[in-house]
mmCIF file of all heavy atoms in Angstrom:
data_model
loop_
_atom_site.group_PDB
_atom_site.id
_atom_site.type_symbol
_atom_site.label_atom_id
_atom_site.label_comp_id
_atom_site.label_asym_id
_atom_site.label_seq_id
_atom_site.Cartn_x
_atom_site.Cartn_y
_atom_site.Cartn_z
ATOM 1 N N LEU A 455 -2.374 25.423 -14.400
ATOM 2 C CA LEU A 455 -1.109 24.828 -14.888
ATOM 3 C C LEU A 455 -1.462 23.662 -15.847
ATOM 4 O O LEU A 455 -0.927 23.529 -16.936
ATOM 5 C CB LEU A 455 -0.306 24.312 -13.638
ATOM 6 C CG LEU A 455 1.040 23.757 -14.030
ATOM 7 C CD1 LEU A 455 1.906 24.837 -14.695
ATOM 8 C CD2 LEU A 455 1.724 23.287 -12.785
ATOM 9 N N PHE A 456 -2.395 22.762 -15.480
ATOM 10 C CA PHE A 456 -2.659 21.606 -16.295
ATOM 11 C C PHE A 456 -3.431 21.978 -17.521
ATOM 12 O O PHE A 456 -3.163 21.449 -18.585
ATOM 13 C CB PHE A 456 -3.599 20.680 -15.497
ATOM 14 C CG PHE A 456 -3.510 19.265 -15.995
ATOM 15 C CD1 PHE A 456 -2.321 18.469 -15.800
ATOM 16 C CD2 PHE A 456 -4.532 18.717 -16.768
ATOM 17 C CE1 PHE A 456 -2.305 17.185 -16.353
ATOM 18 C CE2 PHE A 456 -4.505 17.374 -17.195
ATOM 19 C CZ PHE A 456 -3.371 16.637 -17.064
ATOM 20 N N ASN A 457 -4.310 22.978 -17.537
ATOM 21 C CA ASN A 457 -4.937 23.495 -18.773
ATOM 22 C C ASN A 457 -3.966 23.925 -19.655
ATOM 23 O O ASN A 457 -3.985 23.789 -20.878
ATOM 24 C CB ASN A 457 -5.990 24.569 -18.356
ATOM 25 C CG ASN A 457 -7.303 23.995 -18.054
ATOM 26 O OD1 ASN A 457 -7.563 22.810 -18.498
ATOM 27 N ND2 ASN A 457 -8.183 24.773 -17.345
ATOM 28 N N MET A 458 -2.851 24.662 -19.153
ATOM 29 C CA MET A 458 -1.823 25.138 -20.076
ATOM 30 C C MET A 458 -1.048 24.012 -20.601
ATOM 31 O O MET A 458 -0.689 24.084 -21.911
ATOM 32 C CB MET A 458 -0.878 26.128 -19.231
ATOM 33 C CG MET A 458 -1.391 27.541 -19.201
ATOM 34 S SD MET A 458 -0.358 28.540 -18.184
ATOM 35 C CE MET A 458 1.157 28.429 -19.047
ATOM 36 N N LEU A 459 -0.832 23.007 -19.813
ATOM 37 C CA LEU A 459 -0.146 21.824 -20.343
ATOM 38 C C LEU A 459 -0.804 21.151 -21.533
ATOM 39 O O LEU A 459 -0.240 20.775 -22.540
ATOM 40 C CB LEU A 459 0.134 20.802 -19.183
ATOM 41 C CG LEU A 459 1.450 20.849 -18.470
ATOM 42 C CD1 LEU A 459 1.413 19.818 -17.444
ATOM 43 C CD2 LEU A 459 2.531 20.471 -19.491
ATOM 44 N N ILE A 460 -2.179 20.975 -21.342
ATOM 45 C CA ILE A 460 -2.870 20.274 -22.371
ATOM 46 C C ILE A 460 -3.133 21.218 -23.618
ATOM 47 O O ILE A 460 -3.308 20.651 -24.731
ATOM 48 C CB ILE A 460 -4.239 19.704 -21.921
ATOM 49 C CG1 ILE A 460 -5.192 20.755 -21.335
ATOM 50 C CG2 ILE A 460 -4.054 18.551 -20.874
ATOM 51 C CD1 ILE A 460 -6.594 20.312 -21.064
ATOM 52 N N SER A 461 -2.973 22.478 -23.381
ATOM 53 C CA SER A 461 -3.221 23.411 -24.527
ATOM 54 C C SER A 461 -2.088 23.248 -25.543
ATOM 55 O O SER A 461 -2.208 23.607 -26.667
ATOM 56 C CB SER A 461 -3.349 24.882 -24.058
ATOM 57 O OG SER A 461 -2.106 25.303 -23.689
ATOM 58 N N ILE A 462 -0.929 22.781 -24.967
ATOM 59 C CA ILE A 462 0.265 22.449 -25.866
ATOM 60 C C ILE A 462 -0.144 21.469 -26.942
ATOM 61 O O ILE A 462 0.170 21.517 -28.074
ATOM 62 C CB ILE A 462 1.460 21.957 -25.119
ATOM 63 C CG1 ILE A 462 1.903 23.015 -24.127
ATOM 64 C CG2 ILE A 462 2.623 21.530 -26.074
ATOM 65 C CD1 ILE A 462 2.969 22.631 -23.185
ATOM 66 N N PHE A 463 -1.018 20.524 -26.539
ATOM 67 C CA PHE A 463 -1.518 19.471 -27.447
ATOM 68 C C PHE A 463 -2.772 19.879 -28.111
ATOM 69 O O PHE A 463 -3.529 19.118 -28.697
ATOM 70 C CB PHE A 463 -1.691 18.160 -26.715
ATOM 71 C CG PHE A 463 -0.527 17.708 -26.022
ATOM 72 C CD1 PHE A 463 -0.370 17.913 -24.639
ATOM 73 C CD2 PHE A 463 0.469 17.128 -26.677
ATOM 74 C CE1 PHE A 463 0.765 17.507 -23.980
ATOM 75 C CE2 PHE A 463 1.715 16.708 -26.040
ATOM 76 C CZ PHE A 463 1.808 16.871 -24.633
ATOM 77 N N GLY A 464 -3.199 21.182 -28.009
ATOM 78 C CA GLY A 464 -4.288 21.655 -28.751
ATOM 79 C C GLY A 464 -5.722 21.346 -28.080
ATOM 80 O O GLY A 464 -6.656 21.578 -28.683
ATOM 81 N N VAL A 465 -5.708 20.988 -26.837
ATOM 82 C CA VAL A 465 -6.917 20.705 -26.029
ATOM 83 C C VAL A 465 -7.368 21.931 -25.403
ATOM 84 O O VAL A 465 -6.491 22.694 -24.785
ATOM 85 C CB VAL A 465 -6.684 19.612 -25.041
ATOM 86 C CG1 VAL A 465 -8.165 19.259 -24.434
ATOM 87 C CG2 VAL A 465 -6.172 18.280 -25.667
ATOM 88 N N SER A 466 -8.611 22.344 -25.509
ATOM 89 C CA SER A 466 -9.105 23.500 -24.915
ATOM 90 C C SER A 466 -9.200 23.373 -23.410
ATOM 91 O O SER A 466 -9.319 22.228 -22.871
ATOM 92 C CB SER A 466 -10.474 23.930 -25.505
ATOM 93 O OG SER A 466 -11.334 22.876 -25.273
ATOM 94 N N PRO A 467 -9.253 24.512 -22.648
ATOM 95 C CA PRO A 467 -9.218 24.458 -21.170
ATOM 96 C C PRO A 467 -10.493 23.719 -20.738
ATOM 97 O O PRO A 467 -11.586 23.799 -21.304
ATOM 98 C CB PRO A 467 -9.287 25.872 -20.771
ATOM 99 C CG PRO A 467 -8.619 26.654 -21.907
ATOM 100 C CD PRO A 467 -8.948 25.892 -23.102
ATOM 101 N N GLN A 468 -10.330 22.944 -19.661
ATOM 102 C CA GLN A 468 -11.370 22.022 -19.097
ATOM 103 C C GLN A 468 -11.738 22.562 -17.694
ATOM 104 O O GLN A 468 -10.875 23.158 -16.995
ATOM 105 C CB GLN A 468 -10.813 20.618 -19.066
ATOM 106 C CG GLN A 468 -10.471 20.023 -20.333
ATOM 107 C CD GLN A 468 -11.685 19.384 -21.145
ATOM 108 O OE1 GLN A 468 -12.561 18.855 -20.540
ATOM 109 N NE2 GLN A 468 -11.641 19.733 -22.377
ATOM 110 N N HIS A 469 -12.943 22.156 -17.318
ATOM 111 C CA HIS A 469 -13.260 22.282 -15.833
ATOM 112 C C HIS A 469 -12.819 21.015 -15.217
ATOM 113 O O HIS A 469 -13.178 19.925 -15.673
ATOM 114 C CB HIS A 469 -14.793 22.485 -15.657
ATOM 115 C CG HIS A 469 -15.220 23.779 -16.033
ATOM 116 N ND1 HIS A 469 -15.069 24.918 -15.279
ATOM 117 C CD2 HIS A 469 -15.802 24.260 -17.203
ATOM 118 C CE1 HIS A 469 -15.556 25.999 -15.911
ATOM 119 N NE2 HIS A 469 -16.004 25.520 -17.091
ATOM 120 N N TRP A 470 -11.899 21.070 -14.204
ATOM 121 C CA TRP A 470 -11.391 19.875 -13.581
ATOM 122 C C TRP A 470 -12.088 19.529 -12.299
ATOM 123 O O TRP A 470 -12.479 18.380 -11.986
ATOM 124 C CB TRP A 470 -9.863 19.940 -13.378
ATOM 125 C CG TRP A 470 -9.096 19.996 -14.721
ATOM 126 C CD1 TRP A 470 -8.635 21.034 -15.258
ATOM 127 C CD2 TRP A 470 -8.964 18.924 -15.543
ATOM 128 N NE1 TRP A 470 -8.031 20.712 -16.512
ATOM 129 C CE2 TRP A 470 -8.246 19.376 -16.744
ATOM 130 C CE3 TRP A 470 -9.349 17.556 -15.548
ATOM 131 C CZ2 TRP A 470 -7.868 18.582 -17.782
ATOM 132 C CZ3 TRP A 470 -9.055 16.768 -16.588
ATOM 133 C CH2 TRP A 470 -8.333 17.239 -17.722
ATOM 134 N N LEU A 471 -12.112 20.519 -11.447
ATOM 135 C CA LEU A 471 -12.627 20.275 -10.009
ATOM 136 C C LEU A 471 -13.783 21.070 -9.550
ATOM 137 O O LEU A 471 -14.379 20.725 -8.549
ATOM 138 C CB LEU A 471 -11.405 20.439 -9.010
ATOM 139 C CG LEU A 471 -10.211 19.416 -9.320
ATOM 140 C CD1 LEU A 471 -8.999 19.853 -8.440
ATOM 141 C CD2 LEU A 471 -10.652 18.104 -8.739
ATOM 142 N N ASP A 472 -14.067 22.127 -10.188
ATOM 143 C CA ASP A 472 -15.108 22.993 -9.763
ATOM 144 C C ASP A 472 -16.483 22.360 -9.971
ATOM 145 O O ASP A 472 -16.635 21.303 -10.497
ATOM 146 C CB ASP A 472 -15.068 24.366 -10.364
ATOM 147 C CG ASP A 472 -15.061 24.333 -11.914
ATOM 148 O OD1 ASP A 472 -15.595 23.314 -12.402
ATOM 149 O OD2 ASP A 472 -14.740 25.242 -12.590
ATOM 150 N N ILE A 473 -17.596 23.083 -9.625
ATOM 151 C CA ILE A 473 -18.862 22.423 -9.614
ATOM 152 C C ILE A 473 -19.334 22.139 -11.037
ATOM 153 O O ILE A 473 -20.324 21.410 -11.247
ATOM 154 C CB ILE A 473 -19.966 23.179 -8.786
ATOM 155 C CG1 ILE A 473 -19.924 24.601 -9.226
ATOM 156 C CG2 ILE A 473 -19.714 23.075 -7.342
ATOM 157 C CD1 ILE A 473 -21.228 25.377 -8.629
ATOM 158 N N ASN A 474 -18.728 22.800 -12.044
ATOM 159 C CA ASN A 474 -19.165 22.618 -13.422
ATOM 160 C C ASN A 474 -18.462 21.437 -14.066
ATOM 161 O O ASN A 474 -18.639 21.078 -15.166
ATOM 162 C CB ASN A 474 -18.924 23.864 -14.319
ATOM 163 C CG ASN A 474 -19.747 24.991 -13.751
ATOM 164 O OD1 ASN A 474 -20.924 24.810 -13.453
ATOM 165 N ND2 ASN A 474 -19.176 26.120 -13.682
ATOM 166 N N ALA A 475 -17.481 20.875 -13.310
ATOM 167 C CA ALA A 475 -16.663 19.804 -13.932
ATOM 168 C C ALA A 475 -17.476 18.468 -14.093
ATOM 169 O O ALA A 475 -18.317 18.159 -13.299
ATOM 170 C CB ALA A 475 -15.402 19.538 -13.047
ATOM 171 N N SER A 476 -17.159 17.704 -15.098
ATOM 172 C CA SER A 476 -17.829 16.449 -15.290
ATOM 173 C C SER A 476 -17.159 15.439 -14.303
ATOM 174 O O SER A 476 -16.041 15.599 -13.807
ATOM 175 C CB SER A 476 -17.588 15.924 -16.702
ATOM 176 O OG SER A 476 -16.313 15.448 -16.897
ATOM 177 N N LYS A 477 -17.915 14.459 -14.026
ATOM 178 C CA LYS A 477 -17.445 13.447 -13.072
ATOM 179 C C LYS A 477 -16.097 12.839 -13.434
ATOM 180 O O LYS A 477 -15.235 12.581 -12.649
ATOM 181 C CB LYS A 477 -18.547 12.312 -12.970
ATOM 182 C CG LYS A 477 -18.180 11.317 -11.808
ATOM 183 C CD LYS A 477 -19.319 10.478 -11.393
ATOM 184 C CE LYS A 477 -18.863 9.512 -10.329
ATOM 185 N NZ LYS A 477 -19.872 8.654 -9.695
ATOM 186 N N TRP A 478 -15.989 12.571 -14.768
ATOM 187 C CA TRP A 478 -14.698 11.911 -15.236
ATOM 188 C C TRP A 478 -13.592 12.781 -15.205
ATOM 189 O O TRP A 478 -12.447 12.291 -15.049
ATOM 190 C CB TRP A 478 -15.005 11.273 -16.517
ATOM 191 C CG TRP A 478 -16.145 10.256 -16.342
ATOM 192 C CD1 TRP A 478 -17.442 10.403 -16.877
ATOM 193 C CD2 TRP A 478 -16.168 9.092 -15.525
ATOM 194 N NE1 TRP A 478 -18.155 9.425 -16.426
ATOM 195 C CE2 TRP A 478 -17.414 8.616 -15.650
ATOM 196 C CE3 TRP A 478 -15.227 8.400 -14.772
ATOM 197 C CZ2 TRP A 478 -17.864 7.413 -14.878
ATOM 198 C CZ3 TRP A 478 -15.581 7.431 -14.053
ATOM 199 C CH2 TRP A 478 -16.951 6.807 -14.128
ATOM 200 N N ASN A 479 -13.809 14.122 -15.447
ATOM 201 C CA ASN A 479 -12.643 14.996 -15.273
ATOM 202 C C ASN A 479 -12.101 15.017 -13.850
ATOM 203 O O ASN A 479 -10.930 14.980 -13.585
ATOM 204 C CB ASN A 479 -13.034 16.357 -15.653
ATOM 205 C CG ASN A 479 -12.870 16.627 -17.267
ATOM 206 O OD1 ASN A 479 -12.495 15.721 -18.026
ATOM 207 N ND2 ASN A 479 -13.316 17.722 -17.658
ATOM 208 N N MET A 480 -13.038 15.023 -12.981
ATOM 209 C CA MET A 480 -12.625 14.923 -11.536
ATOM 210 C C MET A 480 -11.958 13.641 -11.299
ATOM 211 O O MET A 480 -10.881 13.574 -10.507
ATOM 212 C CB MET A 480 -13.937 14.953 -10.632
ATOM 213 C CG MET A 480 -14.651 16.222 -10.676
ATOM 214 S SD MET A 480 -16.193 15.913 -9.596
ATOM 215 C CE MET A 480 -17.044 17.302 -9.949
#
Side-chain angles (χ1 to χ4, degrees):
Chain A
L455 187 61
F456 200 74
N457 272 340
M458 278 176 58
L459 262 177
I460 59 170
S461 73
I462 298 171
F463 304 101
V465 185
S466 58
Q468 302 274 318
H469 289 279
W470 292 107
L471 294 164
D472 58 18
I473 52 169
N474 297 319
S476 76
K477 186 167 181 176
W478 301 109
N479 275 359
M480 295 177 190

